């Protein structure tokens, strides 16, 4: 009997550990979201339809349509790279977003979102969307976050430029 | 020039901290007390120095010297003075300075205590504190100088600490101003609370390291820092709750906690800190879990630095993160070095930290405390995995995969529920050694039965109200199984805790002839730690009720309303009455709706004023109109006025049941922590009378 206390505590510990690991693995699988760029999303084709995806792109101001009655928002976004170093190399996020909106050859993605039109949705904003790709090639966003980098990243006063 | 002065002071403070490290080491190894004393005084000096540096920066913020980059970034002329002062922690470099300042305050407070009996700890406490201060100051000096100025060169304007060749100072006309979302009283105190919690944990860690280095294996370091741990824990808890309240009031998404990586970053040291608070009691009472306590405090320290790193480095995108910065690698190196050194020390002392007792039963109090610790660690692992999984998956598969709030709720939810249950059961259990003598000959199964029965005997009475609550919930038609489990556990634990108060007060009433209230008061006064702890538990239960309410029963709806139209939710009717738009004198453009709220009988309840403010720089802010009762909150948002005709406005309405119990619980929680931390008359046993360990030490050695 001398060893039995030890064994039961080890068993208990292993059980708890197994439970935690199970919770982590199953919850990760159930709620995993893929971070994709628009290029990657298009390349995946049909295999990505119905999966949780998080995608970001530059908002094209002309494409924004909003119906306040049904709270339906439609717009298109243009591909931007997700690589921070590349963004820095190209002159910062604001510049990258601007380039994306004026380049007609960039891959684009049409988005539909139900809900109020966010305050920051405007041309050259970075939209970070969570949702699923529909079979019709339209991205149905459940969640929409927007970043307008210009305001926060200008390290140098604007007056200086003039 | 004030900026140069400020930077100079920072540099001197940095050198002072370095000197303090060197002097402490030299003093110890050369056995010259004078040098240790000199190190102590040097550490004391960092506080006035950093006070001076911080005041210099605050002065620059208040006068609005836009030649200073930091002042330009976080203030503007239209901001009220108090916000200009608190803008100190509204940006990257200033908040790092603020961190160091608080750290030096605590380091000073700890060096001012009487050290007679613990002089051997002194050089090492100084060492750890000074290294921490020096590290944070080095970030300010080498990467993020808050006193950096703007210079006009031929290429344009650039920020630099020292004057570039052929440059003249450049002063901007107007600052960019603090992010309007941060211009809120909650935001004014939320960061300092978190920082206070963060830095206060450095002190118990410093003592733990001192204990490891000196090889003192007793629980002296724990006793010395008990109040520090509680203080740190209180501030950290306050910081978390205030952050939640701010989000609820200002961010306008109907919630208080989003499992944002930065929230988790502050939550992780809280988890290890809470586990630590519990497990040190086992070491004090039974001389067990010594290694575990070391692991916990080392982890807490690393997580504190990691938390600061996550919040301040911009490595993760989040509402909290400031711009990208170069301090990331420095943080990683620092965390790596301190963690490896601490763990190496722990391994070196591993054998001397042997437990003095053994756990016998799974239902003994020490085993249940250990279980509590394991659950906290489980939640920690879940959180940690959630934060780093995007980085890991990107490293392995090149594919960034992230997990959202559902992951945390699913994985951590069951563990939280178990914790609530354990919170009720553990206080009923007996310490393992009390009954051990009688049971020495029994076999293991028999032993477990005895312990379990002892708990069950105390459990059945308080279990009755919990059962009634469950029946009541079922009658009320609640079918959500998780809510039923959660609320029943909460009811059981609340009932046990109140019963424990009542039982003890009743015994005192009989024995001392006091009336029940006096007995309760004296009881809490005599054993502040236990009854403070129970009060905290009651607070946690109230918070749990609030969390279950809003997480499981929240409902929402949204609709565009013409004036006079209604929107219905959870038995309430919200009618859109009118709208006004007006400017304020701090440059905001306010759009304010008036809505009437009616209950299900059509009875008028109140008017609410959901608002939509746009700041001069275009940053909008959505402020809800909230009708708050103990039963529920009706949370009405006016959303995005832009592009909608004057007669029609879109509204979003949330129904948040029970959410006020969360805030109410927070008050009880704070009250309980104050009871537990309130200084008692010095009753600490002399070293000879204390529960002695085999370790031999000479006080004053």
């Amino acid at each position: 009997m001398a060893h039995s206390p030890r064994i039961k505590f080890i068993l208990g510990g292993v059980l708890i550990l197994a439970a935690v690991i199970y919770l982590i693995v199953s919850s990760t699988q159930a709620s995993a979201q893929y971070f994709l760029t628009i290029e990657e999303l298009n390349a995946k084709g049909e295999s990505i339809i119905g999966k949780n995806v998080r995608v970001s792109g530059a908002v094209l101001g002309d494409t924004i349509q909003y119906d306040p009655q049904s709270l339906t928002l439609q717009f298109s976004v243009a591909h931007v790279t997700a690589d921070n170093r590349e963004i820095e190399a190209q002159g910062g996020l604001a510049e990258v977003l601007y380039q994306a909106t004026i380049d007609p050859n960039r891959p684009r993605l049409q988005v539909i979102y139900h809900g109020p039109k966010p305050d920051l949705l405007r041309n050259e904003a970075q939209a970070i969307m969570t949702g699923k790709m529909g079979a019709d090639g339209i991205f149905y966003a459940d969640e929409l976050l927007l970043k307008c980098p210009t305001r926060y990243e200008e390290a140098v006063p604007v007056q200086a430029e003039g | 020039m004030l900026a140069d002065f400020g930077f100079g002071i920072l540099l001197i403070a940095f050198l002072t901290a370095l000197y303090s490290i060197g002097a402490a080491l030299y003093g110890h190894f050369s056995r010259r007390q004078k040098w240790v004393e000199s190190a102590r005084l040097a550490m004391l000096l960092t506080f006035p120095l950093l006070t001076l540096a911080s005041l210099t920066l605050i002065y620059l913020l208040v006068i609005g010297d836009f030649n200073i980059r930091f002042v330009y970034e976080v203030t503007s002329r239209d901001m009220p003075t108090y916000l200009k002062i608190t803008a100190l922690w509204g940006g990257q470099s200033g908040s790092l300075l603020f961190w160091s300042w608080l750290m030096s305050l605590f380091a000073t407070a700890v060096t001012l205590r009487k050290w007679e009996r613990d002089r051997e700890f002194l050089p090492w406490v100084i060492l750890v504190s000074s290294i921490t201060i020096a590290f944070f100051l080095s970030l300010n000096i080498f990467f993020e100088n808050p006193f950096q100025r703007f210079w006009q060169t031929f290429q344009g304007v650039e920020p630099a600490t020292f004057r570039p060749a052929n440059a003249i100072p450049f002063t901007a006309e107007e600052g960019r101003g603090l992010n309007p979302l941060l211009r809120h009283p909650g935001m004014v105190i939320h960061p300092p609370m978190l920082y206070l919690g963060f830095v206060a944990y450095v002190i118990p860690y410093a003592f733990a390291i001192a204990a490891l280095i000196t090889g003192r294996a007793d629980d002296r370091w724990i006793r010395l820092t008990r109040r520090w741990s509680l203080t740190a824990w209180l501030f950290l808890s306050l910081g978390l709750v205030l952050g939640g309240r701010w989000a609820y009031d200002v961010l306008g998404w109907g919630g208080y906690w989003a499992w944002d990586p930065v929230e988790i970053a502050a939550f992780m040291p809280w988890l290890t800190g809470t586990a630590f608070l519990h497990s040190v009691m086992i070491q004090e009472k039974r001389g067990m879990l010594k290694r575990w306590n070391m692991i916990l405090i080392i982890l807490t320290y690393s997580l504190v630095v990691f938390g600061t790193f996550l919040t301040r480095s911009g490595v993760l995108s989040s509402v909290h993160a400031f711009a990208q910065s170069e301090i990331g690698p420095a943080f990683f190196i620092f965390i790596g070095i301190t963690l490896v050194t601490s763990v190496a020390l722990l391994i070196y002392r591993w054998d001397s930290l042997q437990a003095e007792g053994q756990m016998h039963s799974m239902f003994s109090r020490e085993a249940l405390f250990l279980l509590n610790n394991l659950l906290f660690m489980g939640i920690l692992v879940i959180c940690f995995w959630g934060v780093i999984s995007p980085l890991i998956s990107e490293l392995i598969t090149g594919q960034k995969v992230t997990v959202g709030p559902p992951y945390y709720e699913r994985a951590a939810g069951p563990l939280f529920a178990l914790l609530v249950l354990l919170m009720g059961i553990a206080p009923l259990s007996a310490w393992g050694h009390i009954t051990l003598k009688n049971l020495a000959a029994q076999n293991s199964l028999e032993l477990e039965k005895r312990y379990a029965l002892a708990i069950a005997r105390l459990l059945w009475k308080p279990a009755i109200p919990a059962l009634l609550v469950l029946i009541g919930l079922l009658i009320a038609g609640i079918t959500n199984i998780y809510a039923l489990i959660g609320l029943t556990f909460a009811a059981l634990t609340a009932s046990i805790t109140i019963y424990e108060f009542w039982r003890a007060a009743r015994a005192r009433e009989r024995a001392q002839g006091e009336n029940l209230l006096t007995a309760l008061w004296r009881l809490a006064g005599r054993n502040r730690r236990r009854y403070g702890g129970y009060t905290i538990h009651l607070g946690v239960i109230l918070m749990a009720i609030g969390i279950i309410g809003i997480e499981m029963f929240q409902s929402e709806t949204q609709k565009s309303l013409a004036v006079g139209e209604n929107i219905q939710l959870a038995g309430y009717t919200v009618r859109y009455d009118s709208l006004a738009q007006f400017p304020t004198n701090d440059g905001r453009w306010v759009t304010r709706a008036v809505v009437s709220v009616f209950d299900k009988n059509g009875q008028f309840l109140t008017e609410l004023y959901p608002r939509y403010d746009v700041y001069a720089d275009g940053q909008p802010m959505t402020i809800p109109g909230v009708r708050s009762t103990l039963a529920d909150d009706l949370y009405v948002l006016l959303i995005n006025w832009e592009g909608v005709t004057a007669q029609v406005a879109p509204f979003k309405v949330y129904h948040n049941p029970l959410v006020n119990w969360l805030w109410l619980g927070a008050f009880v929680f704070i009250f309980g922590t104050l009871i537990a931390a309130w200084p008692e008359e010095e009753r600490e046993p002399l070293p000879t009378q204390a529960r002695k360990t085999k370790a031999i030490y000479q006080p004053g050695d």
Side-chain angles (χ1 to χ4, degrees):
Chain A
M1 278 298 124
H3 291 290
S4 68
R6 265 238 137 118
I7 286 165
K8 73 189 174 196
F9 284 113
I10 291 168
L11 265 176
V14 168
L15 271 178
I16 293 168
L17 193 71
V20 170
I21 291 172
Y22 166 75
L23 282 171
I24 290 179
V25 172
S26 69
S27 306
T28 307
Q29 280 169 352
S31 68
Q33 261 175 15
Y34 296 84
F35 269 80
L36 296 171
T37 63
I38 291 167
E39 245 173 34
E40 289 163 344
L41 191 65
N42 289 342
K44 293 252 176 193
E46 298 205 338
S47 69
I48 199 73
I49 291 171
K51 288 211 174 109
N52 276 325
V53 175
R54 198 168 153 121
V55 60
S56 93
V59 175
L60 302 165
D62 303 341
T63 63
I64 301 174
Q65 288 174 26
Y66 184 54
D67 175 11
Q69 269 311 312
S70 63
L71 295 164
T72 307
L73 182 61
Q74 284 193 49
F75 59 94
S76 291
V77 288
H79 169 80
V80 286
T81 174
D83 187 342
N84 277 334
R85 244 167 294 166
E86 210 171 303
I87 289 173
E88 285 305 314
Q90 291 176 23
L93 186 58
E95 181 61 23
V96 168
L97 289 169
Y98 170 69
Q99 291 299 336
T101 53
I102 57 164
D103 178 1
N105 298 323
R106 288 285 175 104
R108 294 182 173 189
L109 178 70
Q110 203 185 336
V111 182
I112 291 183
Y113 171 75
H114 288 279
K117 183 174 159 237
D119 308 315
L120 297 173
L121 187 77
R122 58 178 88 133
N123 197 35
E124 289 173 38
Q126 183 188 26
I128 302 159
M129 296 151 294
T130 314
K132 294 186 171 90
M133 195 70 195
D136 52 6
I138 297 175
F139 188 79
Y140 292 87
D142 305 320
E143 206 186 302
L144 176 58
L145 289 170
L146 290 146
K147 264 192 188 171
C148 293
T150 39
R151 197 177 315 120
Y152 297 103
E153 291 201 350
E154 55 178 297
V156 170
V158 245
Q159 294 94 317
E161 316 285 294
Chain B
M1 185 61 211
L2 265 177
D4 297 330
F5 172 76
F7 186 66
I9 296 289
L10 272 186
L11 209 57
I12 295 171
F14 177 62
L15 294 175
T16 310
L18 286 185
Y19 168 78
S20 159
I21 296 169
L25 283 174
Y26 179 73
H28 173 77
F29 286 113
S30 66
R31 296 181 176 281
R32 289 191 204 168
Q33 201 54 49
K34 259 198 297 192
W35 280 90
V36 176
E37 183 59 15
S38 170
R40 189 177 78 93
L41 293 175
M43 196 164 82
L44 280 179
L45 193 59
T46 57
F47 177 59
L49 283 171
L50 289 175
T51 306
L52 200 57
S54 303
L55 287 178
T56 307
L57 189 56
I58 289 173
Y59 176 75
L60 290 168
L61 285 166
V62 170
I63 63 163
D65 184 346
F66 298 127
N67 176 224
I68 312 293
R69 180 185 178 177
F70 183 71
V71 177
Y72 163 77
E73 281 172 348
V74 297
T75 62
S76 56
R77 294 185 196 284
D78 60 352
M79 279 164 57
T81 307
Y82 84 96
L83 280 179
K84 285 183 180 166
I85 295 171
T86 57
L88 176 62
W89 51 83
Q92 171 97 289
S93 53
S95 63
L96 284 172
L97 173 59
F98 183 57
W99 208 104
S100 310
W101 187 24
L102 292 177
M103 180 66 227
S104 70
L105 168 70
F106 282 8
T108 298
V110 85
T111 43
L112 284 176
R113 70 180 296 280
K114 292 193 199 110
W115 280 89
E116 288 89 18
R117 275 161 55 197
D118 313 291
R119 198 151 277 282
E120 55 180 343
F121 282 164
L122 183 61
W124 307 112
V125 171
I126 292 174
L127 187 78
V128 173
S129 310
S130 290
I131 287 176
T132 311
I133 293 177
F135 168 68
F136 277 91
L137 283 177
S138 74
L139 295 176
N140 266 148
I141 289 167
F142 299 114
F143 302 101
E144 295 282 342
N145 174 16
F147 296 103
Q148 205 174 45
R149 298 165 66 188
F150 283 126
W151 301 93
Q152 177 83 59
T153 65
F154 293 120
Q155 284 81 40
V157 172
E158 59 177 78
T161 300
F162 302 106
R163 191 170 81 96
N166 301 322
I168 52 163
F170 173 85
T171 303
E173 285 298 312
E174 168 65 304
R176 229 162 50 200
L178 194 63
N179 186 336
L181 290 176
L182 303 181
R183 299 178 196 176
H184 179 273
M187 256 308 109
V188 168
I189 37 180
H190 158 72
M193 289 295 148
L194 274 185
Y195 286 10
L196 282 169
F198 277 7
V199 294
Y201 267 123
V202 176
I203 307 297
Y205 168 75
F207 275 88
I209 293 300
L212 282 179
I213 293 177
T214 53
R216 219 168 124 170
D218 64 353
D219 58 11
R220 183 73 187 147
W221 71 273
I222 289 173
R223 288 179 192 276
L224 284 176
T225 57
R226 190 175 89 79
R227 208 157 286 129
W228 282 104
S229 312
L230 262 180
T231 310
W233 190 70
L234 175 64
F235 281 126
L236 203 50
S237 312
L238 271 175
L240 288 167
V241 170
L242 281 170
R245 182 72 215 204
W246 168 77
Y248 192 73
D249 287 346
V250 171
L251 292 186
W253 42 268
Y256 56 93
W257 183 262
W259 295 102
D260 178 290
V262 173
E263 290 171 349
I264 297 170
F267 188 49
M268 287 195 293
W270 186 89
L271 288 170
T272 50
T274 313
F276 180 73
L277 274 186
H278 288 93
S279 69
V280 291
M281 290 185 225
I282 305 296
Q283 181 166 352
E284 287 178 34
K285 294 258 167 34
R286 298 273 282 118
M288 296 155 90
L289 299 185
K290 290 179 180 179
R291 296 161 183 164
W292 181 243
N293 286 330
M294 284 291 175
I295 293 172
L296 281 180
I297 196 67
I298 291 168
L299 261 181
T300 306
Y301 177 80
S302 293
L303 287 172
V304 158
V305 183
F306 183 65
T308 318
F309 159 65
L310 280 188
T311 13
R312 291 293 161 254
S313 66
V315 67
L316 294 161
S317 52
S318 139
V319 284
H320 295 79
F322 298 132
Q324 295 276 343
S325 159
E326 287 149 20
I327 58 179
F331 263 105
F332 259 118
I333 294 168
F334 184 73
I335 294 173
I337 291 175
T338 50
L339 188 61
V340 167
T341 314
S342 310
V343 171
L345 274 170
L346 177 61
I347 292 169
Y348 175 63
R349 294 290 182 197
W350 193 256
D351 290 335
S352 70
L353 294 172
Q354 198 110 50
E356 292 156 39
Q358 209 193 351
M359 276 187 201
H360 295 276
S361 163
M362 304 227 252
F363 296 99
S364 65
R365 188 169 292 186
E366 47 270 47
L368 292 178
F369 269 54
L370 185 61
L371 179 60
N372 142 308
N373 269 237
L374 292 178
L375 290 174
F376 274 113
M377 297 313 274
I379 297 171
L380 175 76
V381 173
I382 288 167
C383 288
F384 191 71
W385 172 249
V387 173
I388 61 157
S389 66
L391 307 174
I392 301 245
S393 71
E394 196 175 18
L395 216 60
I396 295 172
T397 62
Q399 181 83 79
K400 211 167 179 182
V401 178
T402 175
V403 292
Y407 158 79
Y408 296 99
E409 283 155 17
R410 232 192 93 138
L415 302 188
F416 278 118
L418 274 180
L419 272 176
V420 169
L421 182 66
L422 201 58
M423 207 161 70
I425 290 180
L428 299 180
S429 60
W431 291 104
H433 61 302
I434 293 172
T435 41
L436 178 68
K437 284 167 223 137
N438 314 330
L439 292 164
Q442 310 279 357
N443 70 34
S444 183
L445 207 65
E446 185 68 16
L447 192 77
E448 297 299 348
K449 223 167 85 187
R450 294 266 176 125
Y451 271 94
L453 269 177
I455 293 175
R457 260 199 300 278
L458 290 167
L459 190 65
W460 72 270
K461 271 192 217 163
I464 296 170
L467 211 60
L468 291 178
V469 167
L470 178 61
I471 294 167
L473 290 172
L474 286 169
I475 292 172
I478 289 171
T479 49
N480 182 328
I481 181 79
Y482 302 109
L484 285 175
I485 294 174
L487 288 173
T488 308
F489 281 6
L492 180 64
T493 299
S495 149
I496 294 170
T497 313
I498 293 167
Y499 182 66
E500 281 289 291
F501 271 110
W502 187 81
R503 214 161 50 103
R506 218 21 224 285
R508 225 187 130 83
E509 183 190 19
R510 291 218 189 91
Q512 314 270 340
E514 297 163 348
N515 74 47
L516 204 62
L517 274 180
T518 321
L520 199 63
W521 177 253
R522 296 243 166 98
L523 189 72
R526 284 293 139 79
N527 200 340
R528 291 192 183 137
R529 193 179 197 180
R530 169 183 294 176
Y531 292 100
Y534 286 174
T535 311
I536 296 172
H537 285 178
L538 282 177
V540 173
I541 293 161
L542 293 180
M543 294 171 87
I545 293 171
I547 290 169
I548 293 171
I550 185 171
E551 290 297 329
M552 298 188 183
F553 299 107
Q554 184 181 51
S555 53
E556 58 170 281
T557 180
Q558 56 190 31
K559 203 173 163 190
S560 285
L561 298 181
V563 171
E565 277 188 333
N566 296 328
I567 187 169
Q568 264 117 14
L569 182 70
Y572 292 98
T573 301
V574 178
R575 189 184 69 202
Y576 173 35
D577 292 341
S578 65
L579 189 100
Q581 287 186 295
F582 50 90
T584 61
N585 41 18
D586 60 349
R588 273 175 298 157
W589 179 253
V590 177
T591 303
R592 197 186 77 148
V594 181
V595 300
S596 299
V597 180
F598 303 90
D599 69 8
K600 55 175 168 275
N601 305 320
Q603 191 75 38
F604 172 79
L605 293 174
T606 184
E607 263 185 2
L608 295 177
Y609 313 102
R611 245 171 57 209
Y612 182 81
D613 296 6
V614 180
Y615 282 80
D617 62 355
Q619 167 95 0
M621 188 160 153
T622 311
I623 298 156
V626 184
R627 178 181 184 269
S628 218
T629 66
L630 271 184
D632 56 13
D633 270 17
L634 192 70
Y635 186 101
V636 183
L637 292 166
L638 170 67
I639 30 183
N640 182 44
W641 181 244
E642 231 179 313
V644 181
T645 63
Q647 287 308 304
V648 183
F651 289 93
K652 188 162 191 171
V653 184
Y654 288 92
H655 181 245
N656 296 333
L658 301 176
V659 67
N660 270 305
W661 294 70
L662 175 57
W663 316 122
L664 192 72
F667 281 106
V668 176
F669 181 99
I670 293 161
F671 178 65
T673 315
L674 290 177
I675 294 179
W678 208 259
E680 292 183 59
E681 309 89 85
E682 199 57 47
R683 263 196 330 194
E684 260 182 66
L686 293 168
T688 44
Q689 291 164 333
R691 192 187 44 71
K692 278 292 286 183
T693 64
K694 279 179 223 101
I696 293 164
Y697 64 88
Q698 303 290 313
D701 189 359

